[in-house]
Amino acid sequence: MTSKFQNFYLRYSLKSLLRVGQQGSTKALIWLLIAQSGLSLMVSGCSPTNSANSTVKPVSDQSQSSSTAQNSAPEKQTVVRIGYIKGSLSAIAKERGTLERELTPKNIKIEWVGTFPSFAPVLETINAKSSDLGAGGDIAGLSALSGGINACIIAYRPANRNSEGIVVHADSPIRKFDDLIGKKVIVNRGGISEHLLLKLLEKENIPKEKVSRVYMKPDEALPAWASHHVDAWTVWDPWVATAELKYNARQIPLPAQVPHYSLYMVDRDALKEKSQAIREVIAILAKEGEWLNKHPQENQKVYQKVSGLPPEVVKRTFERRPVDGVLPLEPKVIADLQSAADWIYKQGIVQKRVEVRDALCPSS
């Protein structure tokens, strides 16, 4: 993705001051006014000689001076606020200072809002007008659109195929997917893990009521699952890797893959107000993703720093981590998103159907 920018420069001009006419004509005019009005003119602190040599700035020049001062005021800085998830591409770009380095010379300031454990709270900040844009799971984004968020989809990240799973404790009797019947499984409400669980239940012809869904965000879910308050946890990396390495969890085999995209979503009002700056941000993030894919070791080091995770968790996460990318929406992705939107509506996960094409950001 590329973006063109235009620089606008203020041009200033100064007009020379006008001098008043000669001494004789000035004095004659003064005495004529006195005679016609019958008023007396009181003059103090000046002499005929000083009056003759004085220079007066006309009112029109004073206005020109005021206008010039206003035009010389510095150009207003554009602020773009980014809500971001821990360990995401945006978090890595923040740590590397990529956006600031490229955008500060263009009078664009980045403000970071976060960090957050998942996309849902990022979307809440966009809905509350405290963030302009953010990225995260497609199901959470579609759910927010169904709920009426005034946002649009501007780009996507390739599907996440290997870093999602259902984890159970090492001593759990659950060995295969069918064993979840009658059990409690943690999912994030209206997000990719709920979608994953329900899609797999449908594929296996298991009524969704046969498995109890417990709604929790990932940071809340980890201690609840670790304390054996629930039987299983549907989640994604690095949470899967954390459960495996810290709590000796194991993944149960899944009957199918349910790939999910990540979506980059923008507040529509913010896009209208500062379209050029926001598109600059997206273009730079796209380049950042390409650079990280080509430099996996540097990527892993920065990821470990921003996530605060142990090296072994980071290593396992990166073994399953999909490539980064910030890509323009293409027909297949739009069709996949529409299919997901229709499915979550039919399942009653959301109350309003989303027309994905209407949810795409305008191209210009």
Side-chain angles (χ1 to χ4, degrees):
M1 179 187 297
T2 59
S3 181
K4 297 182 180 179
F5 304 93
Q6 297 178 338
N7 295 320
F8 298 93
Y9 301 92
L10 296 176
R11 298 180 178 178
Y12 303 95
S13 62
L14 295 175
K15 293 184 178 180
S16 60
L17 298 175
L18 301 177
R19 293 184 176 274
V20 178
Q22 299 298 322
Q23 176 181 356
S25 60
T26 302
K27 293 171 67 176
L29 177 61
I30 293 173
W31 287 110
L32 178 60
L33 291 173
I34 293 173
Q36 289 177 343
S37 62
L39 300 175
S40 61
L41 180 63
M42 301 298 293
V43 181
S44 62
C46 65
S47 64
T49 303
N50 290 336
S51 298
N53 296 327
S54 64
T55 301
V56 179
K57 181 185 290 185
V59 173
S60 60
D61 280 351
Q62 292 174 359
S63 299
Q64 175 66 31
S65 176
S66 174
S67 175
T68 300
Q70 292 177 358
N71 291 337
S72 63
E75 184 180 353
K76 183 180 178 182
Q77 189 177 53
T78 302
V79 178
V80 178
R81 302 163 301 170
I82 304 174
Y84 67 105
I85 298 171
K86 187 177 184 180
S88 64
L89 172 60
S90 296
I92 294 174
K94 175 180 182 291
E95 177 64 26
R96 282 171 33 85
T98 309
L99 290 168
E100 290 83 354
R101 186 165 55 251
E102 296 201 28
L103 294 178
T104 298
K106 297 172 182 175
N107 210 22
I108 299 173
K109 180 182 178 182
I110 301 298
E111 289 185 357
W112 297 96
V113 182
T115 59
F116 298 102
S118 61
F119 196 23
V122 174
L123 291 164
E124 290 173 8
T125 68
I126 294 175
N127 192 51
K129 305 293 185 182
S130 56
S131 291
D132 298 322
L133 64 99
D138 54 2
I139 303 302
L142 293 171
S143 296
L145 289 168
S146 174
I149 188 173
N150 186 36
C152 57
I153 306 168
I154 197 170
Y156 81 99
R157 174 183 174 175
N160 191 348
R161 296 184 180 274
N162 301 311
S163 60
E164 300 168 7
I166 300 177
V167 297
V168 297
H169 294 283
D171 58 355
S172 172
I174 300 172
R175 295 289 170 179
K176 59 185 186 301
F177 185 78
D178 291 359
D179 294 338
L180 293 175
I181 295 174
K183 301 295 191 293
K184 295 179 180 179
V185 182
I186 298 177
V187 297
N188 63 320
R189 182 189 293 271
I192 62 174
S193 66
E194 183 175 25
H195 181 245
L196 173 64
L197 177 63
L198 291 177
K199 285 287 284 185
L200 294 177
L201 289 172
E202 181 184 61
K203 180 177 179 58
E204 295 299 295
N205 295 315
I206 300 173
K208 60 185 178 181
E209 295 79 12
K210 295 284 187 179
V211 177
S212 297
R213 283 167 282 163
V214 179
Y215 292 117
M216 289 186 181
K217 296 177 181 178
D219 53 339
E220 302 168 338
L222 180 60
W225 175 84
S227 301
H228 290 73
H229 291 160
V230 291
D231 302 297
W233 182 19
T234 307
V235 72
W236 56 89
D237 275 327
W239 302 101
V240 172
T242 299
E244 290 172 331
L245 294 170
K246 187 174 181 180
Y247 297 98
N248 199 28
R250 55 183 172 81
Q251 294 190 56
I252 61 172
L254 302 183
Q257 285 187 333
V258 183
H260 293 107
Y261 300 102
S262 287
L263 303 180
Y264 283 79
M265 296 181 62
V266 184
D267 175 67
R268 288 184 182 271
D269 293 333
L271 187 61
K272 288 179 183 178
E273 178 186 349
K274 38 195 170 185
S275 174
Q276 183 171 309
I278 288 175
R279 294 182 192 280
E280 268 287 343
V281 168
I282 296 298
I284 294 170
L285 286 174
K287 291 191 297 182
E288 182 78 343
E290 293 174 359
W291 188 91
L292 292 170
N293 290 331
K294 294 176 182 177
H295 301 83
Q297 292 183 341
E298 290 90 338
N299 188 357
Q300 190 167 329
K301 289 178 182 177
V302 181
Y303 178 87
Q304 182 174 339
K305 183 176 181 180
V306 300
S307 67
L309 294 169
E312 61 273 16
V313 171
V314 172
K315 182 176 183 297
R316 182 164 296 187
T317 295
F318 266 73
E319 290 171 354
R320 300 186 288 233
R321 185 179 175 88
V323 295
D324 275 310
V326 183
L327 307 174
L329 277 297
E330 57 188 49
K332 182 183 184 308
V333 175
I334 295 171
D336 288 346
L337 291 174
Q338 188 63 65
S339 177
D342 292 342
W343 191 87
I344 61 175
Y345 172 66
K346 291 176 182 177
Q347 291 292 317
I349 297 174
V350 298
Q351 300 304 310
K352 181 180 178 182
R353 181 181 179 272
V354 173
E355 183 62 51
V356 173
R357 289 194 177 274
D358 294 341
L360 304 183
C361 294
S363 58
S364 61

